[in-house]
DNA sequence: ATGGTGCACTAACCTTTGCATAGC
DNA sequence: GGCTATGCTTTGGTTAGTGCACCA
């Protein structure tokens, strides 16, 4: 109840303030609400009381709140403080705090804030609530400003209960949903990447870029053996001429946005990166557009607030557009690339607000003021930082993070100047040619401001600067440099941050910015290729955060082909290169067969191991790549790159954390094996981690009982001993109860005997002889798969087929296909029978016949049943009518019409034999003449139909009599 | 402040081969 | 008497994920 009350009072709290800026961005619905609530003073008062209550409760619970929730509230305060321009008095702030937290609770759905509401609900339902003591508190003393009447239940939670956090674990459904969202998001981002890639191919944009390029830089297209160094001047020129600014062109198409970015020499990080790609392509350099697909988490509660805030806010328009606006602003003008996907929605809201530049200014000033006056540096930043990233900082503290925040704030303010300036500048820029001259003058002004930026970003990919995801390098180019390495190399070129060949820095930079590097995809020729391996050095950390590789490979397969078509020019290798490649292969091969001890000593410490560990799923690709190199003396860029990425896959350094070995693709540690796993062979030792030997993952074998292997169509070879025995308490008990029972896989002590794959051979089931199906001890055949069928038998998955076999006296066995867990126990599920192959046709024929007969019988039965039911119905109606006629009050006239109508319907519907009709027809005949043949009266809503005998007409041929009412209503009665 | 480790807790997963009774 | 349908009742061990305290 409390919750409902709070909910009903939420909206007016923060809107009691006169805040023009807010109004400007509110949608009409919100405005309406705002006005109505403001007008309603009583409601406001009531709401304030309610909110105060909630606030006190929250505050009183302070310590018991989870960290996230605390942070969340904290952020809500920040949002509101900023929004209100720090002009609110304490009470207002307090009120608004709750408002925003509640509003956000609504917005965030079932995520963090939802937990909060869930808490409340849980507390209502929970027995703890009922058992809770009512502290004897003097309300007036504790809350002098509390005017509310009635009982307030205060929580006095023990520290223990405060410690225990209500944990809501994700259900299977949540997981499935999260995976679906992840997949859909991936597809969307892939599509987006292709779109950008297409825009980079735009000849007009390329030509425009080339026209801006100084002549000496044009020479680069003539370089035969391009190296990363050759790109330096070009990238520097680009970096100094094109800058990131926050204005998003969300309302325009990407292509026109790109053109605009080109004109104004500034745009989103995505646009700037795309422009760099277009420039490189214009210079005839083989170039890809690379993007980190910053996709929604694969896990249900991963990046909780990030999802809820960014996504949910955009779904639900209205009140949150205000908060969205506030959130977006600081980022809007940050100089480092932000997350375009998430920013976009925000920036749409921002765009609206930007139309009124004076209001913008006000908001920025507000932001600054807030910072200077109240000094919590988090004020502006907090909007941008999801809960997970927020820390509860005391005001006035000057730690490293705070300084960084301050620095960023300054950057934001500077950028604001650029932003507002550019609005004016934008109108001046009409065409590219004139732009170039204009730009130089305007550019100087911009440059002054951006010197700040250069100092941060040009030194490298900007650091986190205290804010999550700020400055994450999300887009860059890859230029194929034929002069690099032996065979050429795709070189990472981040023109936004002026970094060349910094592939090893990307992961660190994204980690610093808390953007998980899960998918780095290169786009070219409308295709795409996953190049995450190039940028990710710690694959084991992201492997679990990526979608099922089979699905991902299938999705990318057609795109890979397209990409390969665009970038897969044949690279002709000279003898020297081929020798080198062959040498590389030899080394790899020899290491494969190396003595394990040698390996162990070589990799004693955490060294990159270059063992040719077999990664089964990618093996085919690797083989094909190797094959193409060996045999054709010419390899495509694609296959060479595949090989490079494969090498990275197989040479991942040993993790230093023991836990990393738990599900590592390549390495395993004995301590993390499950009870059904074993190391076979137990070696080679690839290295040690905290004193524990590390083995290749390929040595990990799964063990199963004989029975289990049989299900897979495999049986244990003769004379093979179990490699492991497991005690199974349940089975042990069972064995004790029924000692007579014998299980193959259990020895006399009730130990489950397990075997490994290397001890198996294909199953050899007894043949069906003389039409007899070999069965198990239960007289069944377990059909887990086709492999489990005894030779010479077939599985007939037909209902009731066993009766046919039985009737024909053919030997059969019920086919057990699985189990169903019901009523606390496993129930075998049967589906059809297993018979000898020679009887298949006979049985099927007989079955078909039998089914036909059965269907005919069923039809007949149904029909007779229908008939008898109609008979019953009409009999009862007629009986009722008779009774009404004899004893009723004369109000039964309606029934007569119903009888007629039913009779008609019956005649119309029953197209059975004449006998049937006759059988049914009697009912109408049995109805007294006075009712059927005399004037019939049937009521309607405001009129009773009267059928006079003289107005009847009849058709002799069709035996249909038409009875008419004077109102025009007529009834067709079929004479029987 | 961050990340690793160990422990505790718990939801999800995996396991897996009726019985009595009524009605036809 | 035999067959079929229906209702009854609702495992328990293992694994993986999570939170937390502690430590380096």
């Amino acid at each position: 109840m409390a919750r409902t009350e709070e909910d009903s009072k939420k909206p007016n709290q923060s809107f009691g303030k006169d805040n023009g800026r807010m109004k400007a961005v509110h949608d009409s619905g919100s405005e309406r609400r705002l006005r109505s609530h403001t007008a309603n003073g009583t409601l406001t008062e009531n709401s304030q009381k309610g909110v105060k209550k909630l606030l006190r409760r929250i505050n009183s619970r302070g310590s018991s709140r989870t960290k996230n929730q605390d942070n969340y509230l904290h952020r809500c305060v920040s949002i509101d403080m900023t929004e209100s321009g720090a002009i609110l008095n304490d009470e207002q702030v307090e009120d608004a705090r709750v408002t925003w937290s509640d509003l956000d609770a609504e917005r965030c759905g079932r995520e963090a804030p939802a937990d909060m509401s869930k808490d409340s609900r849980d507390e209502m339902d929970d027995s703890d609530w009922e058992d809770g003591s009512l502290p004897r508190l003097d309300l007036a003393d504790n809350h002098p400003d509390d005017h509310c009447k009635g009982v307030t239940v205060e929580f006095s939670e023990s520290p223990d209960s405060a410690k225990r956090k209500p944990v809501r674990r994700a259900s299977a459904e949540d997981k499935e949903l999260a995976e679906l969202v992840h997949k859909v998001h991936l597809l969307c981002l892939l599509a987006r990447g292709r779109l950008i890639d297409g825009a980079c191919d735009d000849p007009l944009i390329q030509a425009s870029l080339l026209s801006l390029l100084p002549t000496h830089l044009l020479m680069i297209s003539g370089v035969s053996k391009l190296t990363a160094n050759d790109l330096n001047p070009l990238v520097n020129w680009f970096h100094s001429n094109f800058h990131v600014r926050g204005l998003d062109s969300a309302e325009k198409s990407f292509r026109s946005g790109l053109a605009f970015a080109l004109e104004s020499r500034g745009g989103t990080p995505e646009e700037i990166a795309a422009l760099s790609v277009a420039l490189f392509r214009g210079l005839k350099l083989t170039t890809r557009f690379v993007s980190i697909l910053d996709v929604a988490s694969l896990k249900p509660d991963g990046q909780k607030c990030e999802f809820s805030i960014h996504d949910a806010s955009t779904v639900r328009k209205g009140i949150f557009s205000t908060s969205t606006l506030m959130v977006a602003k600081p980022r809007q003008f940050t100089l480092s690339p932000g997350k375009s996907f998430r920013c976009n929605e925000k920036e749409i809201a921002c765009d609206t607000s930007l139309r009124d530049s004076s209001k913008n200014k006000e908001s920025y000033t507000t932001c600054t003021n807030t910072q200077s006056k109240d000094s919590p540096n988090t004020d502006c930043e907090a909007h941008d930082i999801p809960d997970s990233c927020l820390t509860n900082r005391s005001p006035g503290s000057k730690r490293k993070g705070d300084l960084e925040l301050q620095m960023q704030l300054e950057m934001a303010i500077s950028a604001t100047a650029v932003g507002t300036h550019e609005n004016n500048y934008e109108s001046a820029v009409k065409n590219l040619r004139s732009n170039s001259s204009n730009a130089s003058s305007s550019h100087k002004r911009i440059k002054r401001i951006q010197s700040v930026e250069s100092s941060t970003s040009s030194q490298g990919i900007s650091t986190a600067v205290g804010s999550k995801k700020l400055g994450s390098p999300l887009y860059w180019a890859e230029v194929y440099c034929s002069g690099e390495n032996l065979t050429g190399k795709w070189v990472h070129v981040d023109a936004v941050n002026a970094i060349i060949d910094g592939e090893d820095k990307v992961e660190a930079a994204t980690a610093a910015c808390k953007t998980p590097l899960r998918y780095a995809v290169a786009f070219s020729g409308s295709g795409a290729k996953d190049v995450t391996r190039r940028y990710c050095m710690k694959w084991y950390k992201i492997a679990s955060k990526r979608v099922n590789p089979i699905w991902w490979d299938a999705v990318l397969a057609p795109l890979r082909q397209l990409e390969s078509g665009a970038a897969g020019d044949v690279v002709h290798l000279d003898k020297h290169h081929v020798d080198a490649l062959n040498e590389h292969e030899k080394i790899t091969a020899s290491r494969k067969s190396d003595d394990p001890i040698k390996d162990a000593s070589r990799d004693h410490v955490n060294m990159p191991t270059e063992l040719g560990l077999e990664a089964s799923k990618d093996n085919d690709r690797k083989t094909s790549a190797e094959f193409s190199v060996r045999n054709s003396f010419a390899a495509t860029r694609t296959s060479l790159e595949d090989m490079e990425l494969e090498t990275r896959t197989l040479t991942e350094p040993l993790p230093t954390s023991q836990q990393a070995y738990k599900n590592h693709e390549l390495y395993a540690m004995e301590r993390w094996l499950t009870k059904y796993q074993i190391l076979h062979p137990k070696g080679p030792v690839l290295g040690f981690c905290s004193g524990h030997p590390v083995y290749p993952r390929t040595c990990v074998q799964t063990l199963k009982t004989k029975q289990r292997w049989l299900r897979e169509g495999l049986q244990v070879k003769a004379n093979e001993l179990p490699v492991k025995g497991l005690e199974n308490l349940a089975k042990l008990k069972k064995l004790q109860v029924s000692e007579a029972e014998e299980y193959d896989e259990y020895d006399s002590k009730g130990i489950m005997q397990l075997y490994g794959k290397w001890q198996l051979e294909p199953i050899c089931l007894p043949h069906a002889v003389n039409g007899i199906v070999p069965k198990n001890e239960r007289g069944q055949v377990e059909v887990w798969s086709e492999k489990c069928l005894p030779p010479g038998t077939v599985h007939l998955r037909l209902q009731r087929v066993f009766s046919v076999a039985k009737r024909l006296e053919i030997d059969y066995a019920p086919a057990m296909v699985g189990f169903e867990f019901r009523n606390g126990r496993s129930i075998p599920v049967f589906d059809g029978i297993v018979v000898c192959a020679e009887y298949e046709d006979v049985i099927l024929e007989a079955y078909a016949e039998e089914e036909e007969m059965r269907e005919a019988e069923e039809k007949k039965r149904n029909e007779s049943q229908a008939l008898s039911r109609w008979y019953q119905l009409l009999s009862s109606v007629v009986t009722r009518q008779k009774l009404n006629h004899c004893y009723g009050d004369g109000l039964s006239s309606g029934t007569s019409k119903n009888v007629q109508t039913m009779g008609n319907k019956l005649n119309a519907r029953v197209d059975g034999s004449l006998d049937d009709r006759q059988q049914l027809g009697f009912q109408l005949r049995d109805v007294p003449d006075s009712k059927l043949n005399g004037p019939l009266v049937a009521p309607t809503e405001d009129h009773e139909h009267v059928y006079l005998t003289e107005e009847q007409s009849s058709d002799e041929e069709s035996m249909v009599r038409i009875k008419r009412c004077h109102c025009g209503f007529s009834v067709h009665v079929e004479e029987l």
Side-chain angles (χ1 to χ4, degrees):
Chain A
M1 205 183 90
R3 180 77 198 162
T4 321
E5 190 181 60
E6 287 150 17
D7 286 344
S8 66
K9 292 167 184 175
K10 276 187 298 194
N12 72 329
Q13 291 307 305
S14 58
F15 302 127
K17 301 154 264 177
D18 181 25
N19 192 330
R21 183 166 43 81
M22 283 169 58
K23 281 179 184 170
V25 291
H26 263 293
D27 67 1
S28 56
S30 310
E31 273 184 350
R32 250 179 279 124
R33 259 190 289 178
L34 165 66
R35 285 193 210 104
S36 69
H37 284 293
T38 316
N40 189 345
T42 318
L43 188 58
T44 308
E45 269 178 39
N46 290 338
S47 305
Q48 280 174 351
K49 282 179 193 171
V51 168
K52 274 178 201 165
K53 259 197 251 177
L54 173 66
L55 189 70
R56 270 197 303 278
R57 200 171 122 189
I58 291 165
N59 291 340
S60 72
R61 294 181 69 190
S63 62
S64 70
R65 279 251 160 262
T66 61
K67 197 175 172 184
N68 269 351
Q69 288 163 347
D70 278 339
N71 287 339
Y72 191 80
L73 280 173
H74 205 72
R75 185 169 54 79
C76 293
V77 175
S78 305
I79 289 171
D80 196 83
M81 296 274 285
T82 318
E83 183 173 29
S84 58
I87 53 162
L88 302 177
N89 58 36
D90 289 346
E91 192 174 295
Q92 280 170 313
V93 168
E94 266 198 354
D95 291 345
R97 267 172 71 171
V98 180
T99 306
W100 279 103
S101 60
D102 274 358
L103 290 173
D104 278 3
E106 200 179 293
R107 173 179 53 170
C108 289
R110 62 185 173 160
E111 297 301 333
D115 285 344
M116 202 160 73
S117 61
K118 188 175 174 282
D119 283 357
S120 316
R121 277 197 301 276
D122 286 350
E123 283 157 12
M124 299 293 168
D125 300 333
D126 211 320
S127 57
D128 290 348
W129 171 270
E130 290 165 9
D131 297 336
S133 60
L134 185 66
R136 276 171 286 175
L137 296 171
D138 186 340
L139 292 175
D141 287 348
N142 287 316
H143 311 288
D145 57 339
D146 185 6
H147 306 297
C148 67
K149 305 274 187 288
V151 180
T152 305
V153 180
E154 296 287 344
F155 288 89
S156 56
E157 290 181 11
S158 65
D160 284 354
S161 63
K163 271 183 186 176
R164 183 150 296 185
K165 214 168 148 183
V167 180
R168 186 194 162 272
R169 293 170 66 99
S171 65
E173 197 186 350
D174 292 337
K175 286 176 186 169
E176 197 187 344
L177 183 69
E179 192 185 335
L180 281 173
V181 169
H182 183 84
K183 284 179 175 175
V184 170
H185 198 176
L186 268 179
L187 295 176
C188 290
L189 292 175
L190 274 180
R192 173 80 180 170
R194 295 181 73 197
L195 193 119
I196 296 166
D197 172 53
C200 295
D201 282 335
D202 191 320
L204 205 61
I205 287 173
Q206 288 182 4
S208 304
L209 279 162
L210 290 179
S211 70
L212 294 173
L213 198 66
T215 327
H216 68 277
L217 290 175
L218 287 168
M219 306 297 284
I220 197 164
S221 52
V223 177
S224 60
K225 290 277 176 192
L226 189 73
T227 62
N229 280 338
D230 297 334
L231 295 167
N232 260 324
L234 186 62
V235 171
N236 284 336
W237 173 84
F238 184 87
H239 181 68
S240 55
N241 279 277
F242 290 89
H243 301 282
V244 170
R245 59 169 168 72
L247 271 177
D248 188 37
S249 50
E251 285 171 15
K252 291 172 263 181
S253 73
F254 183 79
R255 211 169 277 236
S256 57
L258 200 60
F260 180 75
L262 174 58
E263 273 185 25
S264 59
R265 299 204 183 186
T268 61
E270 193 181 35
E271 286 165 352
I272 297 300
L275 281 179
S276 71
V277 172
L279 173 66
F280 299 145
R281 285 184 183 169
L283 288 166
K284 303 290 170 215
L285 307 180
T286 310
T287 310
R288 290 159 159 179
F289 173 77
V290 184
S291 169
I292 288 183
L293 307 187
D294 196 8
V295 64
S297 174
L298 186 61
K299 304 283 161 65
D301 48 1
Q303 301 179 348
K304 266 184 188 175
C305 227
E306 185 185 317
F307 180 73
S308 52
I309 287 174
H310 294 275
D311 299 346
S313 66
T314 57
V315 173
R316 300 179 199 180
K317 301 275 178 190
I319 264 175
F320 298 113
S321 56
T322 308
S323 99
T324 308
L325 167 78
M326 298 316 298
V327 171
K329 237 156 220 155
R331 176 181 287 186
Q332 194 176 3
F333 294 98
T334 51
L335 302 167
S336 307
K339 293 179 62 177
S340 116
F341 181 82
R342 292 203 171 86
C343 288
N344 284 349
E345 302 94 352
K346 293 178 182 175
E347 288 163 0
I348 292 167
C350 295
D351 276 352
T352 324
S353 66
L354 279 166
R355 286 183 196 124
D356 188 338
S357 62
S358 65
K359 279 175 188 168
N360 280 333
K361 265 189 179 172
E362 187 187 320
S363 69
Y364 305 135
T365 321
T366 303
C367 198
T368 325
N369 288 345
T370 313
Q371 213 255 331
S372 57
K373 277 183 193 169
D374 304 334
S375 92
N377 299 327
T378 48
D379 275 0
C380 274
E381 281 308 316
H383 313 155
D384 212 59
I385 307 171
D387 283 359
S388 53
C389 226
L390 269 176
T391 49
N392 198 353
R393 285 175 192 168
S394 60
S397 61
K398 283 283 172 190
R399 289 176 299 183
K400 196 182 165 190
D402 296 329
L403 291 171
E404 284 177 338
L405 287 168
Q406 203 168 353
M407 189 171 77
Q408 197 181 2
L409 187 69
E410 281 166 17
M411 286 160 62
I413 295 161
S414 310
T416 306
V418 177
T420 46
H421 179 80
E422 279 190 1
N423 271 352
N424 304 327
Y425 171 64
E426 178 187 327
S427 57
V429 179
K430 290 296 173 197
N431 62 59
L432 194 60
R433 279 291 161 204
S434 60
N435 179 23
S436 52
S437 58
N438 265 353
S440 56
S441 60
S442 302
H443 213 73
K444 279 175 192 168
R445 280 175 288 172
I446 298 167
K447 221 170 185 178
R448 268 208 313 274
I449 297 149
Q450 292 199 332
S451 59
V452 182
E453 165 202 19
S454 309
S455 65
T456 13
S457 60
S458 65
Q459 285 163 5
I461 297 162
S462 58
T463 55
V465 204
S467 169
K468 185 177 178 180
K469 305 206 168 166
L470 207 66
S472 300
L474 290 173
Y475 315 98
W476 61 89
E478 271 185 357
V479 178
Y480 191 80
C481 293
S482 50
E484 290 283 333
N485 288 353
L486 293 172
T487 56
K489 181 191 165 191
W490 285 102
V491 173
H492 159 265
V493 182
D494 182 355
V496 175
N497 296 292
I499 298 169
I500 299 172
D501 204 9
E503 60 190 39
D504 49 339
K505 293 173 198 155
V506 173
E507 190 177 34
T510 54
C513 302
K514 309 250 161 117
T515 309
L517 193 156
R518 289 164 295 176
Y519 304 90
V521 178
F523 297 91
S524 169
S526 298
K529 183 173 186 175
D530 188 336
V531 291
T532 317
R533 287 281 186 187
R534 178 171 294 132
Y535 299 96
C536 177
M537 308 299 151
K538 290 180 178 173
W539 185 262
Y540 69 90
K541 282 194 171 174
I542 64 158
S544 63
K545 293 171 185 167
R546 282 166 60 99
V547 75
N548 172 12
I550 296 167
W551 181 85
W552 184 231
D553 283 347
V555 165
L556 283 184
L559 295 175
R560 254 201 312 266
Q561 278 190 340
L562 286 171
E563 197 280 334
S564 160
D569 298 347
V570 172
V571 177
H572 292 282
L573 305 174
D574 58 29
K575 185 79 175 68
H576 170 72
H577 290 157
V578 174
D579 287 348
L581 276 171
N582 285 339
E583 191 60 32
H584 170 82
E585 276 176 48
K586 269 184 206 166
I587 292 167
T588 314
S590 67
R591 281 184 182 173
K592 262 187 201 174
S593 57
D594 259 358
D595 189 297
I597 298 164
K598 267 190 206 169
D599 279 309
S601 59
R602 183 170 55 86
D603 300 313
H604 189 74
V605 198
N606 296 320
M607 280 170 60
T609 57
E610 292 190 341
L611 273 173
L613 304 173
E614 285 175 18
S616 54
K617 64 179 177 199
D618 290 329
N619 237 10
D620 294 344
R621 245 187 302 155
K622 186 187 178 189
T623 318
S624 68
E626 284 172 356
F627 180 82
S628 69
V629 174
R630 255 199 310 271
N631 293 286
S632 65
F633 277 76
T636 63
R637 280 174 196 153
T638 308
S639 56
L640 284 170
E641 188 190 26
D642 287 344
M643 215 161 80
E644 179 209 332
L645 297 177
E646 204 59 55
T647 310
R648 282 176 186 269
T649 306
L650 301 174
T651 58
E652 203 178 311
L654 295 184
T656 50
S657 151
Q658 282 188 55
Q659 288 193 333
Y661 291 91
K662 217 168 178 177
N663 286 310
H664 202 288
E665 272 191 332
L666 295 176
Y667 311 117
M669 203 178 263
E670 201 162 10
R671 61 171 297 194
W672 295 122
L673 299 183
T674 66
K675 67 176 192 172
Y676 289 104
Q677 288 178 327
I678 198 174
L679 287 167
H680 180 86
K682 201 170 176 176
V685 176
L686 304 178
F688 290 88
C689 178
S690 310
H692 299 277
V694 175
Y695 301 92
R697 178 59 63 177
T698 46
C699 295
V700 177
Q701 299 280 347
T702 305
L703 304 176
K704 289 178 185 178
T705 62
K706 274 183 184 175
Q707 279 289 322
R708 282 267 152 194
W709 283 124
L710 282 177
R711 290 184 188 183
E712 293 183 19
L714 296 165
Q715 67 178 23
V716 177
K717 287 179 201 163
N719 304 323
E720 287 285 354
L721 294 171
V723 286
K724 201 173 179 180
L726 283 180
E727 263 189 39
N728 187 328
L729 292 174
K731 287 289 168 191
L732 199 58
K733 275 182 200 166
K734 211 166 188 180
L735 283 174
Q736 282 167 353
V737 172
S738 55
E739 282 180 2
E741 215 172 348
E742 278 184 19
Y743 288 87
D744 258 1
E745 64 262 39
Y746 294 92
D747 67 5
S748 56
K749 290 171 190 169
I751 303 291
M752 205 193 302
Q753 298 181 339
L754 301 170
Y755 299 85
K757 206 163 192 173
W758 68 94
Q759 299 177 295
L760 308 171
E761 61 188 5
I763 196 168
C764 184
L765 291 167
H767 268 265
V769 185
N770 298 331
I772 305 293
V773 178
K775 306 172 190 73
N776 67 7
E777 64 274 16
R778 292 185 175 84
Q780 318 154 346
V781 173
E782 292 181 17
V783 191
W784 301 100
S785 70
E786 288 295 311
K787 288 178 197 165
C788 300
L789 277 177
T793 63
V794 286
H795 180 199
L796 303 177
R797 286 175 174 258
L798 299 165
Q799 272 193 320
R800 294 174 294 272
V801 72
F802 68 92
S803 60
V804 179
K806 210 174 190 177
R807 184 166 55 82
L808 297 174
E809 292 180 344
I810 292 170
D811 185 63
Y812 72 94
M816 200 202 83
V817 293
F819 287 98
E820 194 180 67
F821 203 81
R822 217 168 48 196
N823 303 335
R825 61 174 72 88
S826 284
I827 312 290
V829 177
F830 295 95
D831 185 13
I833 57 169
V834 176
V835 291
C836 291
E838 59 263 34
Y839 296 122
E840 186 183 5
D841 293 339
V842 182
I843 290 178
L844 287 179
E845 245 172 62
Y847 179 80
E849 272 174 31
E850 197 153 292
E851 279 298 289
E852 210 172 299
M853 278 166 62
R854 200 184 59 79
E855 275 170 21
E857 262 175 34
E858 199 176 318
K859 193 182 171 191
K860 205 174 168 184
R861 197 170 57 242
N862 282 342
E863 280 177 3
S864 64
Q865 205 171 33
L867 222 52
S868 94
R869 283 176 182 164
W870 272 112
Y871 174 80
Q872 280 174 14
L873 174 70
L874 289 173
S875 300
S876 63
V877 168
V878 168
T879 309
R880 182 189 161 92
Q881 186 135 27
K882 276 180 181 170
L883 289 170
N884 269 331
H885 181 66
C886 296
Y887 309 106
D889 52 4
L891 294 173
S892 58
S893 52
T895 321
S896 62
K897 185 222 154 189
N898 293 343
V899 173
Q900 279 187 326
T901 316
M902 273 193 283
N904 290 340
K905 279 181 185 167
L906 191 61
N907 285 331
R909 288 176 59 174
V910 178
D911 54 348
S913 63
L914 186 62
D915 291 347
D916 294 339
R917 285 202 195 186
Q918 281 168 345
Q919 192 188 352
L920 287 162
F922 90 98
Q923 313 151 59
L924 294 177
R925 283 195 299 273
D926 281 2
V927 176
D929 285 352
S930 61
K931 286 293 171 190
L932 271 180
N933 297 327
L936 290 167
V937 182
T940 60
E941 281 175 17
D942 52 354
H943 165 73
E944 286 190 357
H945 299 303
V946 178
Y947 305 107
L948 299 169
T949 318
E950 54 268 27
E951 288 188 14
Q952 288 180 6
S953 62
S954 58
D955 184 347
E956 295 297 325
E957 275 184 30
S958 60
M959 303 278 284
V960 172
R961 194 189 314 170
I962 302 164
K963 299 180 175 185
R964 291 191 180 83
C965 173
H966 65 85
C967 72
F969 184 81
S970 63
V971 178
H972 293 241
V973 181
E974 191 177 344
E975 302 280 349
L976 296 177

